[in-house]
Amino acid sequence: MAKKRILSGMRPTGKLHLGHYVGALENWIKLQNEYESFHLVADYHVLTTNLNTDEIYNNTLEMVMDWLAVGINPETTPMFRQSQIKEHAELFLIFSMLVTKARLERNPTLKDQIRDLNIENVIYGHLGYPVLQSADILLYKGEKVPVGEDQVPHVEITREIARKFNNQYGLVFPEPEPLLTKFSRLPGLDGGSKMSKSLNNTILISETPEDVQKKLRKAVTDPQKIRRNDPGHPEVCTIFTYHKRFNPEEVPEIEKSCRSGELGCVDCKLKCTAKINEFLDPIREKRSVYENDKNKVLEILLDGERKASEVAKETMSEVHEKMKLG
Ligand code: ATP
Ligand code: MG
């Protein structure tokens, strides 16, 4: 039996951070052998929040280097740019007829972005973000979509669009399901609920060891633990969440000594810094190989685009046939 497909993407808005890693990339790596995986650089989706395209190419390379550095295998897993496969735009157009404006206005992820980025007038394409994403997923008949929690409402819209198409024209698309990791929402260094580039509270995958240390030193912890010996509340502390992911063996001990007041935040942060750096060391090393050979990264994309294009063309010919177009 053919392997089931996974489709997931990210917007090339700069270097990736640990939120992207624990929320999505970790699953991409884990599942790439079990499923046939496709990973998309959502370069059109960038335009929903930034019309300036000067940085897109460079950001694409940076992001794909992060993907490669954490272990996405270019031999088995096509990585490709949305803008280079014309079928994304075509399927987006068809799908935009299958969803109402009211449904898209209810999307909680859009509401969060409007708030976080202080958007006053929402552009049509931003409202349509999940419609383009539905086209991205369904063009490859993705059955599983490994994403962070903020993307779950978009996968739900994708399911609804798939159902609507299948009912109207005949069965073409699966109804995909999100695949979440244990850390589907990693908090930011400011103590805020989500690590996010636009909130400026990130640790990058490509961060230098010194910068990891500096950033953690300034991170917000339990606001009630002011002096070293004050008893702490690990459940409200971002650093404790980082320990859970990057230092699980020491978690029981840290929890106990934080609560009792034996462990101060400075030492706790140093432990965390060491563990995160230990985790990032091999990733940094692998990344540096690609940093010195950016042509290789472009070749990987071009190769991925050839593979993705074949699948996209097949799906679109099925769509045309069912819709009796052409
Ligand atoms: P940011 O949210 O930092 O501005 P972005 O909006 O450019 O980045 P997306 O393309 O929205 O990035 O996210 C890529 C993937 O990473 C999505 O699957 C998203 O759910 C996941 N993700 C992003 N931030 C986090 C986080 N803090 N915790 C868990 N998953 C996250
Ligand atoms: Mg985001």
PDB file of all heavy atoms in Angstrom, residues 149-181:
ATOM      1  N   GLU A 149      -0.427  24.503  17.408  1.00  0.00           N
ATOM      2  CA  GLU A 149      -1.827  24.664  17.797  1.00  0.00           C
ATOM      3  C   GLU A 149      -2.555  25.784  17.036  1.00  0.00           C
ATOM      4  O   GLU A 149      -3.734  25.675  16.693  1.00  0.00           O
ATOM      5  CB  GLU A 149      -1.824  25.003  19.283  1.00  0.00           C
ATOM      6  CG  GLU A 149      -3.106  24.840  20.005  1.00  0.00           C
ATOM      7  CD  GLU A 149      -2.878  25.185  21.478  1.00  0.00           C
ATOM      8  OE1 GLU A 149      -2.613  26.365  21.794  1.00  0.00           O
ATOM      9  OE2 GLU A 149      -2.947  24.264  22.294  1.00  0.00           O
ATOM     10  N   ASP A 150      -1.803  26.869  16.737  1.00  0.00           N
ATOM     11  CA  ASP A 150      -2.437  28.014  16.061  1.00  0.00           C
ATOM     12  C   ASP A 150      -2.942  27.666  14.665  1.00  0.00           C
ATOM     13  O   ASP A 150      -3.749  28.394  14.091  1.00  0.00           O
ATOM     14  CB  ASP A 150      -1.457  29.193  15.990  1.00  0.00           C
ATOM     15  CG  ASP A 150      -0.145  28.835  15.302  1.00  0.00           C
ATOM     16  OD1 ASP A 150       0.195  27.641  15.245  1.00  0.00           O
ATOM     17  OD2 ASP A 150       0.537  29.749  14.816  1.00  0.00           O
ATOM     18  N   GLN A 151      -2.454  26.556  14.123  1.00  0.00           N
ATOM     19  CA  GLN A 151      -2.841  26.187  12.761  1.00  0.00           C
ATOM     20  C   GLN A 151      -4.042  25.232  12.711  1.00  0.00           C
ATOM     21  O   GLN A 151      -4.561  24.953  11.632  1.00  0.00           O
ATOM     22  CB  GLN A 151      -1.658  25.520  12.048  1.00  0.00           C
ATOM     23  CG  GLN A 151      -0.476  26.449  11.843  1.00  0.00           C
ATOM     24  CD  GLN A 151      -0.802  27.537  10.840  1.00  0.00           C
ATOM     25  OE1 GLN A 151      -1.481  27.292   9.852  1.00  0.00           O
ATOM     26  NE2 GLN A 151      -0.336  28.739  11.103  1.00  0.00           N
ATOM     27  N   VAL A 152      -4.449  24.749  13.872  1.00  0.00           N
ATOM     28  CA  VAL A 152      -5.538  23.761  13.891  1.00  0.00           C
ATOM     29  C   VAL A 152      -6.835  24.287  13.267  1.00  0.00           C
ATOM     30  O   VAL A 152      -7.480  23.579  12.478  1.00  0.00           O
ATOM     31  CB  VAL A 152      -5.746  23.204  15.326  1.00  0.00           C
ATOM     32  CG1 VAL A 152      -6.981  22.331  15.409  1.00  0.00           C
ATOM     33  CG2 VAL A 152      -4.515  22.409  15.748  1.00  0.00           C
ATOM     34  N   PRO A 153      -7.217  25.536  13.567  1.00  0.00           N
ATOM     35  CA  PRO A 153      -8.440  26.045  12.913  1.00  0.00           C
ATOM     36  C   PRO A 153      -8.335  26.053  11.387  1.00  0.00           C
ATOM     37  O   PRO A 153      -9.341  25.883  10.697  1.00  0.00           O
ATOM     38  CB  PRO A 153      -8.552  27.483  13.442  1.00  0.00           C
ATOM     39  CG  PRO A 153      -7.738  27.520  14.686  1.00  0.00           C
ATOM     40  CD  PRO A 153      -6.648  26.515  14.514  1.00  0.00           C
ATOM     41  N   HIS A 154      -7.135  26.228  10.868  1.00  0.00           N
ATOM     42  CA  HIS A 154      -6.964  26.212   9.411  1.00  0.00           C
ATOM     43  C   HIS A 154      -7.157  24.812   8.834  1.00  0.00           C
ATOM     44  O   HIS A 154      -7.692  24.647   7.738  1.00  0.00           O
ATOM     45  CB  HIS A 154      -5.572  26.733   9.024  1.00  0.00           C
ATOM     46  CG  HIS A 154      -5.372  28.181   9.333  1.00  0.00           C
ATOM     47  ND1 HIS A 154      -4.166  28.815   9.227  1.00  0.00           N
ATOM     48  CD2 HIS A 154      -6.250  29.128   9.762  1.00  0.00           C
ATOM     49  CE1 HIS A 154      -4.297  30.088   9.560  1.00  0.00           C
ATOM     50  NE2 HIS A 154      -5.542  30.294   9.904  1.00  0.00           N
ATOM     51  N   VAL A 155      -6.714  23.829   9.581  1.00  0.00           N
ATOM     52  CA  VAL A 155      -6.899  22.450   9.099  1.00  0.00           C
ATOM     53  C   VAL A 155      -8.385  22.100   9.130  1.00  0.00           C
ATOM     54  O   VAL A 155      -8.888  21.393   8.259  1.00  0.00           O
ATOM     55  CB  VAL A 155      -6.037  21.444   9.906  1.00  0.00           C
ATOM     56  CG1 VAL A 155      -6.205  20.032   9.357  1.00  0.00           C
ATOM     57  CG2 VAL A 155      -4.559  21.845   9.866  1.00  0.00           C
ATOM     58  N   GLU A 156      -9.094  22.643  10.106  1.00  0.00           N
ATOM     59  CA  GLU A 156     -10.539  22.406  10.167  1.00  0.00           C
ATOM     60  C   GLU A 156     -11.221  23.002   8.921  1.00  0.00           C
ATOM     61  O   GLU A 156     -12.083  22.367   8.306  1.00  0.00           O
ATOM     62  CB  GLU A 156     -11.101  23.011  11.463  1.00  0.00           C
ATOM     63  CG  GLU A 156     -12.572  22.714  11.732  1.00  0.00           C
ATOM     64  CD  GLU A 156     -12.941  21.220  11.664  1.00  0.00           C
ATOM     65  OE1 GLU A 156     -12.158  20.385  12.160  1.00  0.00           O
ATOM     66  OE2 GLU A 156     -14.016  20.905  11.098  1.00  0.00           O
ATOM     67  N   ILE A 157     -10.825  24.196   8.540  1.00  0.00           N
ATOM     68  CA  ILE A 157     -11.390  24.813   7.332  1.00  0.00           C
ATOM     69  C   ILE A 157     -11.036  23.966   6.103  1.00  0.00           C
ATOM     70  O   ILE A 157     -11.866  23.760   5.211  1.00  0.00           O
ATOM     71  CB  ILE A 157     -10.900  26.286   7.185  1.00  0.00           C
ATOM     72  CG1 ILE A 157     -11.508  27.135   8.306  1.00  0.00           C
ATOM     73  CG2 ILE A 157     -11.250  26.861   5.808  1.00  0.00           C
ATOM     74  CD1 ILE A 157     -10.992  28.559   8.406  1.00  0.00           C
ATOM     75  N   THR A 158      -9.830  23.433   6.087  1.00  0.00           N
ATOM     76  CA  THR A 158      -9.410  22.562   4.977  1.00  0.00           C
ATOM     77  C   THR A 158     -10.331  21.348   4.860  1.00  0.00           C
ATOM     78  O   THR A 158     -10.738  20.956   3.761  1.00  0.00           O
ATOM     79  CB  THR A 158      -7.950  22.089   5.203  1.00  0.00           C
ATOM     80  OG1 THR A 158      -7.125  23.227   5.395  1.00  0.00           O
ATOM     81  CG2 THR A 158      -7.441  21.266   4.024  1.00  0.00           C
ATOM     82  N   ARG A 159     -10.669  20.769   6.008  1.00  0.00           N
ATOM     83  CA  ARG A 159     -11.565  19.601   6.003  1.00  0.00           C
ATOM     84  C   ARG A 159     -12.927  19.981   5.420  1.00  0.00           C
ATOM     85  O   ARG A 159     -13.522  19.239   4.647  1.00  0.00           O
ATOM     86  CB  ARG A 159     -11.752  19.061   7.425  1.00  0.00           C
ATOM     87  CG  ARG A 159     -10.491  18.493   8.032  1.00  0.00           C
ATOM     88  CD  ARG A 159     -10.642  18.290   9.539  1.00  0.00           C
ATOM     89  NE  ARG A 159     -11.720  17.376   9.869  1.00  0.00           N
ATOM     90  CZ  ARG A 159     -11.603  16.061   9.840  1.00  0.00           C
ATOM     91  NH1 ARG A 159     -10.442  15.523   9.525  1.00  0.00           N
ATOM     92  NH2 ARG A 159     -12.620  15.291  10.150  1.00  0.00           N
ATOM     93  N   GLU A 160     -13.402  21.151   5.836  1.00  0.00           N
ATOM     94  CA  GLU A 160     -14.721  21.585   5.354  1.00  0.00           C
ATOM     95  C   GLU A 160     -14.696  21.823   3.840  1.00  0.00           C
ATOM     96  O   GLU A 160     -15.640  21.463   3.130  1.00  0.00           O
ATOM     97  CB  GLU A 160     -15.153  22.865   6.083  1.00  0.00           C
ATOM     98  CG  GLU A 160     -15.451  22.617   7.550  1.00  0.00           C
ATOM     99  CD  GLU A 160     -15.605  23.913   8.361  1.00  0.00           C
ATOM    100  OE1 GLU A 160     -15.878  24.973   7.772  1.00  0.00           O
ATOM    101  OE2 GLU A 160     -15.435  23.849   9.593  1.00  0.00           O
ATOM    102  N   ILE A 161     -13.622  22.418   3.363  1.00  0.00           N
ATOM    103  CA  ILE A 161     -13.517  22.681   1.921  1.00  0.00           C
ATOM    104  C   ILE A 161     -13.419  21.363   1.140  1.00  0.00           C
ATOM    105  O   ILE A 161     -14.064  21.196   0.099  1.00  0.00           O
ATOM    106  CB  ILE A 161     -12.317  23.620   1.621  1.00  0.00           C
ATOM    107  CG1 ILE A 161     -12.636  25.028   2.129  1.00  0.00           C
ATOM    108  CG2 ILE A 161     -11.978  23.634   0.129  1.00  0.00           C
ATOM    109  CD1 ILE A 161     -11.524  26.048   1.950  1.00  0.00           C
ATOM    110  N   ALA A 162     -12.642  20.421   1.662  1.00  0.00           N
ATOM    111  CA  ALA A 162     -12.506  19.114   0.998  1.00  0.00           C
ATOM    112  C   ALA A 162     -13.880  18.443   0.885  1.00  0.00           C
ATOM    113  O   ALA A 162     -14.269  17.928  -0.170  1.00  0.00           O
ATOM    114  CB  ALA A 162     -11.541  18.226   1.777  1.00  0.00           C
ATOM    115  N   ARG A 163     -14.624  18.485   1.989  1.00  0.00           N
ATOM    116  CA  ARG A 163     -15.946  17.859   2.033  1.00  0.00           C
ATOM    117  C   ARG A 163     -16.878  18.523   1.017  1.00  0.00           C
ATOM    118  O   ARG A 163     -17.579  17.858   0.263  1.00  0.00           O
ATOM    119  CB  ARG A 163     -16.513  18.022   3.444  1.00  0.00           C
ATOM    120  CG  ARG A 163     -17.491  16.957   3.861  1.00  0.00           C
ATOM    121  CD  ARG A 163     -17.865  17.133   5.332  1.00  0.00           C
ATOM    122  NE  ARG A 163     -16.696  17.149   6.203  1.00  0.00           N
ATOM    123  CZ  ARG A 163     -16.609  17.873   7.326  1.00  0.00           C
ATOM    124  NH1 ARG A 163     -17.593  18.653   7.730  1.00  0.00           N
ATOM    125  NH2 ARG A 163     -15.519  17.825   8.069  1.00  0.00           N
ATOM    126  N   LYS A 164     -16.838  19.831   1.003  1.00  0.00           N
ATOM    127  CA  LYS A 164     -17.706  20.587   0.102  1.00  0.00           C
ATOM    128  C   LYS A 164     -17.384  20.245  -1.367  1.00  0.00           C
ATOM    129  O   LYS A 164     -18.274  20.024  -2.181  1.00  0.00           O
ATOM    130  CB  LYS A 164     -17.497  22.087   0.379  1.00  0.00           C
ATOM    131  CG  LYS A 164     -18.261  23.027  -0.489  1.00  0.00           C
ATOM    132  CD  LYS A 164     -19.619  23.345   0.100  1.00  0.00           C
ATOM    133  CE  LYS A 164     -20.365  24.230  -0.895  1.00  0.00           C
ATOM    134  NZ  LYS A 164     -21.732  24.462  -0.553  1.00  0.00           N
ATOM    135  N   PHE A 165     -16.098  20.206  -1.672  1.00  0.00           N
ATOM    136  CA  PHE A 165     -15.703  19.880  -3.054  1.00  0.00           C
ATOM    137  C   PHE A 165     -16.178  18.471  -3.416  1.00  0.00           C
ATOM    138  O   PHE A 165     -16.811  18.256  -4.449  1.00  0.00           O
ATOM    139  CB  PHE A 165     -14.176  19.966  -3.239  1.00  0.00           C
ATOM    140  CG  PHE A 165     -13.754  19.690  -4.664  1.00  0.00           C
ATOM    141  CD1 PHE A 165     -13.513  20.738  -5.543  1.00  0.00           C
ATOM    142  CD2 PHE A 165     -13.643  18.384  -5.152  1.00  0.00           C
ATOM    143  CE1 PHE A 165     -13.159  20.499  -6.876  1.00  0.00           C
ATOM    144  CE2 PHE A 165     -13.300  18.134  -6.477  1.00  0.00           C
ATOM    145  CZ  PHE A 165     -13.056  19.194  -7.333  1.00  0.00           C
ATOM    146  N   ASN A 166     -15.877  17.517  -2.527  1.00  0.00           N
ATOM    147  CA  ASN A 166     -16.218  16.115  -2.806  1.00  0.00           C
ATOM    148  C   ASN A 166     -17.726  15.934  -2.994  1.00  0.00           C
ATOM    149  O   ASN A 166     -18.159  15.169  -3.853  1.00  0.00           O
ATOM    150  CB  ASN A 166     -15.731  15.206  -1.675  1.00  0.00           C
ATOM    151  CG  ASN A 166     -14.203  15.134  -1.602  1.00  0.00           C
ATOM    152  OD1 ASN A 166     -13.518  15.446  -2.573  1.00  0.00           O
ATOM    153  ND2 ASN A 166     -13.689  14.731  -0.463  1.00  0.00           N
ATOM    154  N   ASN A 167     -18.516  16.650  -2.172  1.00  0.00           N
ATOM    155  CA  ASN A 167     -19.975  16.535  -2.302  1.00  0.00           C
ATOM    156  C   ASN A 167     -20.476  17.155  -3.590  1.00  0.00           C
ATOM    157  O   ASN A 167     -21.400  16.655  -4.218  1.00  0.00           O
ATOM    158  CB  ASN A 167     -20.678  17.231  -1.128  1.00  0.00           C
ATOM    159  CG  ASN A 167     -20.560  16.410   0.131  1.00  0.00           C
ATOM    160  OD1 ASN A 167     -20.346  15.200   0.061  1.00  0.00           O
ATOM    161  ND2 ASN A 167     -20.687  17.053   1.280  1.00  0.00           N
ATOM    162  N   GLN A 168     -19.861  18.237  -3.954  1.00  0.00           N
ATOM    163  CA  GLN A 168     -20.334  18.974  -5.129  1.00  0.00           C
ATOM    164  C   GLN A 168     -19.921  18.300  -6.444  1.00  0.00           C
ATOM    165  O   GLN A 168     -20.717  18.207  -7.373  1.00  0.00           O
ATOM    166  CB  GLN A 168     -19.772  20.401  -5.064  1.00  0.00           C
ATOM    167  CG  GLN A 168     -20.213  21.324  -6.181  1.00  0.00           C
ATOM    168  CD  GLN A 168     -21.661  21.786  -6.010  1.00  0.00           C
ATOM    169  OE1 GLN A 168     -22.127  21.990  -4.882  1.00  0.00           O
ATOM    170  NE2 GLN A 168     -22.374  21.922  -7.104  1.00  0.00           N
ATOM    171  N   TYR A 169     -18.662  17.842  -6.490  1.00  0.00           N
ATOM    172  CA  TYR A 169     -18.122  17.408  -7.795  1.00  0.00           C
ATOM    173  C   TYR A 169     -17.723  15.926  -7.856  1.00  0.00           C
ATOM    174  O   TYR A 169     -17.469  15.407  -8.932  1.00  0.00           O
ATOM    175  CB  TYR A 169     -16.895  18.249  -8.165  1.00  0.00           C
ATOM    176  CG  TYR A 169     -17.211  19.731  -8.265  1.00  0.00           C
ATOM    177  CD1 TYR A 169     -16.721  20.634  -7.317  1.00  0.00           C
ATOM    178  CD2 TYR A 169     -18.008  20.225  -9.293  1.00  0.00           C
ATOM    179  CE1 TYR A 169     -17.014  21.986  -7.406  1.00  0.00           C
ATOM    180  CE2 TYR A 169     -18.309  21.580  -9.384  1.00  0.00           C
ATOM    181  CZ  TYR A 169     -17.814  22.448  -8.439  1.00  0.00           C
ATOM    182  OH  TYR A 169     -18.109  23.771  -8.522  1.00  0.00           O
ATOM    183  N   GLY A 170     -17.620  15.281  -6.694  1.00  0.00           N
ATOM    184  CA  GLY A 170     -17.159  13.886  -6.681  1.00  0.00           C
ATOM    185  C   GLY A 170     -15.858  13.783  -5.912  1.00  0.00           C
ATOM    186  O   GLY A 170     -15.128  14.765  -5.757  1.00  0.00           O
ATOM    187  N   LEU A 171     -15.595  12.579  -5.431  1.00  0.00           N
ATOM    188  CA  LEU A 171     -14.485  12.384  -4.490  1.00  0.00           C
ATOM    189  C   LEU A 171     -13.106  12.590  -5.121  1.00  0.00           C
ATOM    190  O   LEU A 171     -12.719  11.860  -6.030  1.00  0.00           O
ATOM    191  CB  LEU A 171     -14.586  10.973  -3.905  1.00  0.00           C
ATOM    192  CG  LEU A 171     -13.538  10.632  -2.849  1.00  0.00           C
ATOM    193  CD1 LEU A 171     -13.753  11.447  -1.576  1.00  0.00           C
ATOM    194  CD2 LEU A 171     -13.555   9.143  -2.535  1.00  0.00           C
ATOM    195  N   VAL A 172     -12.400  13.583  -4.626  1.00  0.00           N
ATOM    196  CA  VAL A 172     -10.997  13.782  -5.016  1.00  0.00           C
ATOM    197  C   VAL A 172     -10.100  13.875  -3.774  1.00  0.00           C
ATOM    198  O   VAL A 172      -9.013  13.300  -3.739  1.00  0.00           O
ATOM    199  CB  VAL A 172     -10.820  15.080  -5.862  1.00  0.00           C
ATOM    200  CG1 VAL A 172      -9.336  15.346  -6.132  1.00  0.00           C
ATOM    201  CG2 VAL A 172     -11.585  14.988  -7.173  1.00  0.00           C
ATOM    202  N   PHE A 173     -10.604  14.560  -2.742  1.00  0.00           N
ATOM    203  CA  PHE A 173      -9.709  14.932  -1.645  1.00  0.00           C
ATOM    204  C   PHE A 173      -9.964  14.164  -0.350  1.00  0.00           C
ATOM    205  O   PHE A 173     -11.118  13.886  -0.006  1.00  0.00           O
ATOM    206  CB  PHE A 173      -9.864  16.427  -1.349  1.00  0.00           C
ATOM    207  CG  PHE A 173      -9.484  17.291  -2.512  1.00  0.00           C
ATOM    208  CD1 PHE A 173     -10.449  18.043  -3.182  1.00  0.00           C
ATOM    209  CD2 PHE A 173      -8.172  17.335  -2.952  1.00  0.00           C
ATOM    210  CE1 PHE A 173     -10.101  18.839  -4.258  1.00  0.00           C
ATOM    211  CE2 PHE A 173      -7.807  18.128  -4.032  1.00  0.00           C
ATOM    212  CZ  PHE A 173      -8.778  18.885  -4.687  1.00  0.00           C
ATOM    213  N   PRO A 174      -8.878  13.870   0.404  1.00  0.00           N
ATOM    214  CA  PRO A 174      -9.047  13.343   1.766  1.00  0.00           C
ATOM    215  C   PRO A 174      -9.419  14.494   2.703  1.00  0.00           C
ATOM    216  O   PRO A 174      -9.260  15.664   2.341  1.00  0.00           O
ATOM    217  CB  PRO A 174      -7.650  12.828   2.106  1.00  0.00           C
ATOM    218  CG  PRO A 174      -6.727  13.709   1.333  1.00  0.00           C
ATOM    219  CD  PRO A 174      -7.464  14.078   0.067  1.00  0.00           C
ATOM    220  N   GLU A 175      -9.931  14.149   3.888  1.00  0.00           N
ATOM    221  CA  GLU A 175     -10.161  15.185   4.908  1.00  0.00           C
ATOM    222  C   GLU A 175      -9.008  15.114   5.897  1.00  0.00           C
ATOM    223  O   GLU A 175      -8.964  14.230   6.748  1.00  0.00           O
ATOM    224  CB  GLU A 175     -11.506  14.949   5.611  1.00  0.00           C
ATOM    225  CG  GLU A 175     -12.669  15.348   4.736  1.00  0.00           C
ATOM    226  CD  GLU A 175     -14.018  15.187   5.448  1.00  0.00           C
ATOM    227  OE1 GLU A 175     -14.082  15.394   6.675  1.00  0.00           O
ATOM    228  OE2 GLU A 175     -15.002  14.854   4.749  1.00  0.00           O
ATOM    229  N   PRO A 176      -8.062  16.032   5.767  1.00  0.00           N
ATOM    230  CA  PRO A 176      -6.823  15.921   6.545  1.00  0.00           C
ATOM    231  C   PRO A 176      -7.008  16.201   8.034  1.00  0.00           C
ATOM    232  O   PRO A 176      -7.945  16.887   8.433  1.00  0.00           O
ATOM    233  CB  PRO A 176      -5.911  16.981   5.922  1.00  0.00           C
ATOM    234  CG  PRO A 176      -6.773  17.845   5.109  1.00  0.00           C
ATOM    235  CD  PRO A 176      -8.076  17.188   4.877  1.00  0.00           C
ATOM    236  N   GLU A 177      -6.080  15.654   8.804  1.00  0.00           N
ATOM    237  CA  GLU A 177      -6.114  15.851  10.260  1.00  0.00           C
ATOM    238  C   GLU A 177      -4.829  16.495  10.743  1.00  0.00           C
ATOM    239  O   GLU A 177      -3.753  16.139  10.262  1.00  0.00           O
ATOM    240  CB  GLU A 177      -6.218  14.491  10.960  1.00  0.00           C
ATOM    241  CG  GLU A 177      -7.595  13.925  10.904  1.00  0.00           C
ATOM    242  CD  GLU A 177      -7.632  12.478  11.359  1.00  0.00           C
ATOM    243  OE1 GLU A 177      -6.625  11.996  11.924  1.00  0.00           O
ATOM    244  OE2 GLU A 177      -8.668  11.852  11.141  1.00  0.00           O
ATOM    245  N   PRO A 178      -4.944  17.399  11.724  1.00  0.00           N
ATOM    246  CA  PRO A 178      -3.709  17.987  12.281  1.00  0.00           C
ATOM    247  C   PRO A 178      -2.982  16.971  13.148  1.00  0.00           C
ATOM    248  O   PRO A 178      -3.612  16.091  13.737  1.00  0.00           O
ATOM    249  CB  PRO A 178      -4.222  19.145  13.140  1.00  0.00           C
ATOM    250  CG  PRO A 178      -5.641  18.833  13.436  1.00  0.00           C
ATOM    251  CD  PRO A 178      -6.153  17.953  12.345  1.00  0.00           C
ATOM    252  N   LEU A 179      -1.678  17.072  13.190  1.00  0.00           N
ATOM    253  CA  LEU A 179      -0.869  16.241  14.087  1.00  0.00           C
ATOM    254  C   LEU A 179      -0.100  17.180  15.004  1.00  0.00           C
ATOM    255  O   LEU A 179       0.738  17.946  14.544  1.00  0.00           O
ATOM    256  CB  LEU A 179       0.167  15.472  13.264  1.00  0.00           C
ATOM    257  CG  LEU A 179      -0.178  14.110  12.713  1.00  0.00           C
ATOM    258  CD1 LEU A 179       1.040  13.551  11.993  1.00  0.00           C
ATOM    259  CD2 LEU A 179      -0.602  13.171  13.824  1.00  0.00           C
ATOM    260  N   LEU A 180      -0.424  17.124  16.276  1.00  0.00           N
ATOM    261  CA  LEU A 180       0.222  18.047  17.212  1.00  0.00           C
ATOM    262  C   LEU A 180       1.326  17.361  18.000  1.00  0.00           C
ATOM    263  O   LEU A 180       1.265  16.160  18.253  1.00  0.00           O
ATOM    264  CB  LEU A 180      -0.814  18.588  18.205  1.00  0.00           C
ATOM    265  CG  LEU A 180      -1.902  19.475  17.613  1.00  0.00           C
ATOM    266  CD1 LEU A 180      -2.906  19.861  18.693  1.00  0.00           C
ATOM    267  CD2 LEU A 180      -1.302  20.732  16.988  1.00  0.00           C
ATOM    268  N   THR A 181       2.331  18.133  18.378  1.00  0.00           N
ATOM    269  CA  THR A 181       3.350  17.599  19.278  1.00  0.00           C
ATOM    270  C   THR A 181       2.912  17.894  20.716  1.00  0.00           C
ATOM    271  O   THR A 181       1.908  18.567  20.940  1.00  0.00           O
ATOM    272  CB  THR A 181       4.724  18.285  19.070  1.00  0.00           C
ATOM    273  OG1 THR A 181       4.586  19.661  19.417  1.00  0.00           O
ATOM    274  CG2 THR A 181       5.200  18.159  17.637  1.00  0.00           C
TER     275      THR A 181
END
